[in-house]
């Protein structure tokens, strides 16, 4: 069933971002306000993510990146972290049929080695099974840190230089991307952050040099398709100059 509305058709007729990145913030606060355990907020957040993934696919947005678990999140209470990891395994099991149906390719960026073996294996399995899907690429940032990604790239470049497999003059802004977690991922055109926080929290530090930002007051579990469309419309109303000046 196609849920495309008149507003969707208007959006599709305009220039849509090629890559939307979202910092899904506010799950814990949402749960606290409702007197629920924090995990209830994370479970509700997964439901919202599913709706936004489907909407993005329907609109024809090629890349959607969701910041799901940062390097810093390991500092949270052990019980919450363990529950989150179990929720991730459950999510991948449950959502694989949707990814296959909607032809969504799944990729994870971040330090996979930080995770328990059962989760690493599930990530590898879903990435492999969806590798030929080509309607949209869903990127999940797990144990991700923008600073760690840059540091990792520097170390790999130094190794190549030491092995004489790379010349200093071959290191450019574009070639640097070859050492990132997912080299072919284009820079985000639009970055959305929920919950009213006005920061980027170590997400895509190198890639967002010319990204448009949209901050929503909504906590992630309250984030709606309507708010998502509002963010996309806001993006379409902006003039992206990339540092240049256009004279008419």
């Amino acid at each position: 069933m196609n849920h495309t509305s008149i507003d969707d058709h208007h959006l599709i007729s305009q220039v849509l971002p090629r890559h939307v990145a979202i910092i899904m913030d506010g799950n814990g606060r949402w749960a606290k306000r409702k007197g629920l355990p924090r995990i209830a907020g994370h479970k509700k957040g997964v439901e919202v993510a599913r709706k936004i993934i489907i909407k993005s696919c329907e609109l024809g947005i090629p890349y959607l990146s969701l910041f799901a678990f940062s390097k810093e999140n390991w500092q949270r209470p052990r019980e919450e972290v363990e529950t989150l990891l179990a929720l991730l395994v459950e999510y991948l099991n449950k959502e694989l049929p949707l990814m296959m149906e909607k032809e969504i390719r799944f990729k994870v960026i971040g330090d996979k080695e930080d995770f328990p073996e059962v989760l690493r294996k599930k990530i590898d399995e879903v990435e492999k099974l969806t590798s030929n899907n080509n309607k949209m690429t869903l990127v999940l940032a797990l144990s991700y840190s923008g600073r760690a990604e840059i540091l990792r790239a520097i170390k790999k470049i130094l190794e190549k230089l030491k092995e004489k497999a790379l010349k200093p003059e071959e290191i450019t802004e574009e070639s640097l991307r070859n050492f990132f977690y997912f080299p072919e991922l284009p820079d985000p055109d639009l970055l959305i952050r929920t919950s009213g926080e006005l920061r980027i929290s170590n997400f895509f530090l190198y890639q967002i040099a010319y990204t448009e930002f949209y901050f929503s007051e909504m906590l992630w579990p309250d984030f709606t398709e309507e708010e998502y469309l509002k963010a996309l419309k806001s993006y379409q109303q902006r003039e992206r100059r990339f540092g240049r000046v256009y004279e008419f």
Side-chain angles (χ1 to χ4, degrees):
M1 182 177 178
N2 193 332
H3 298 285
T4 305
S5 68
I6 294 175
D7 280 348
D8 293 350
H9 285 302
H10 175 73
L11 275 169
I12 293 170
S13 69
Q14 307 298 316
V15 176
L16 280 166
R18 185 182 180 206
H19 179 190
V20 176
I22 304 178
I23 300 174
M24 307 178 294
D25 193 26
N27 291 341
R29 275 170 285 168
W30 181 88
K32 184 177 180 181
R33 289 178 186 179
K34 294 183 176 295
L36 299 170
R38 289 177 60 86
I39 192 60
H42 295 304
K43 288 182 177 178
K44 179 65 175 177
V46 168
E47 295 176 15
V48 173
R50 189 177 201 270
K51 293 178 182 178
I52 298 305
I53 291 166
I54 293 173
K55 178 58 66 177
S56 299
C57 193
E58 290 176 349
L59 290 170
I61 292 173
Y63 295 89
L64 175 66
S65 294
L66 303 178
F67 199 7
F69 191 90
S70 72
K71 272 280 193 182
E72 293 76 18
N73 287 157
W74 290 108
Q75 300 171 33
R76 292 184 177 185
R78 180 179 174 183
E79 183 180 354
E80 180 180 354
V81 170
E82 289 179 348
T83 305
L84 274 171
L85 298 183
L87 187 60
L88 279 169
V89 175
E90 179 184 330
Y91 168 79
L92 292 175
N93 281 323
K94 184 178 179 181
E95 297 304 318
L96 178 57
L98 174 72
M99 294 179 200
M100 300 307 294
E101 176 193 344
K102 299 289 185 181
E103 297 183 57
I104 297 172
R105 177 174 58 155
F106 177 75
K107 295 289 290 185
V108 164
I109 58 173
D111 291 332
K112 296 179 187 178
E113 60 268 23
D114 291 343
F115 291 109
E117 185 179 4
V118 62
L119 179 54
R120 291 200 308 271
K121 285 185 174 180
K122 180 53 64 176
I123 289 171
D124 290 343
E125 176 190 348
V126 176
E127 284 186 333
K128 184 177 180 180
L129 289 171
T130 64
S131 61
N132 292 323
N133 292 347
N134 56 20
K135 188 168 184 181
M136 186 181 84
T137 298
L138 170 63
V139 179
L140 216 56
L142 298 174
S143 195
Y144 177 86
S145 156
R147 287 180 174 178
E149 181 173 37
I150 294 170
L151 181 60
R152 175 179 177 269
I154 291 171
K155 289 179 177 178
K156 286 183 174 292
I157 288 172
L158 290 174
E159 288 174 7
K160 292 289 185 181
L161 290 171
K162 187 177 180 180
E163 296 167 357
K164 299 190 183 301
L166 184 69
K167 297 177 182 178
E169 59 269 24
E170 292 175 330
I171 304 170
T172 65
E173 288 186 14
E174 286 307 311
S175 67
L176 177 61
R177 298 172 188 273
N178 294 329
F179 300 94
F180 286 168
Y181 291 117
F182 186 15
E184 71 181 77
L185 184 65
D187 290 345
D189 298 296
L190 174 65
L191 174 67
I192 299 170
R193 181 170 188 145
T194 60
S195 84
E197 301 290 353
L198 305 178
R199 57 178 179 268
I200 57 174
S201 297
N202 204 5
F203 188 39
F204 282 146
L205 295 185
Y206 185 86
Q207 296 90 332
I208 59 171
Y210 288 101
T211 296
E212 298 292 330
F213 285 50
Y214 183 88
F215 296 103
S216 172
E217 293 292 328
M218 289 183 175
L219 300 176
W220 179 248
D222 291 326
F223 195 75
T224 61
E225 290 182 18
E226 289 73 22
E227 182 72 1
Y228 185 44
L229 296 180
K230 184 179 174 183
L232 294 174
K233 287 178 182 177
S234 174
Y235 168 83
Q236 291 178 331
Q237 292 166 358
R238 304 180 193 185
E239 181 184 2
R240 304 186 73 198
R241 295 187 296 274
F242 300 96
R244 299 184 293 268
V245 174
Y246 296 101
E247 296 181 1
F248 298 94

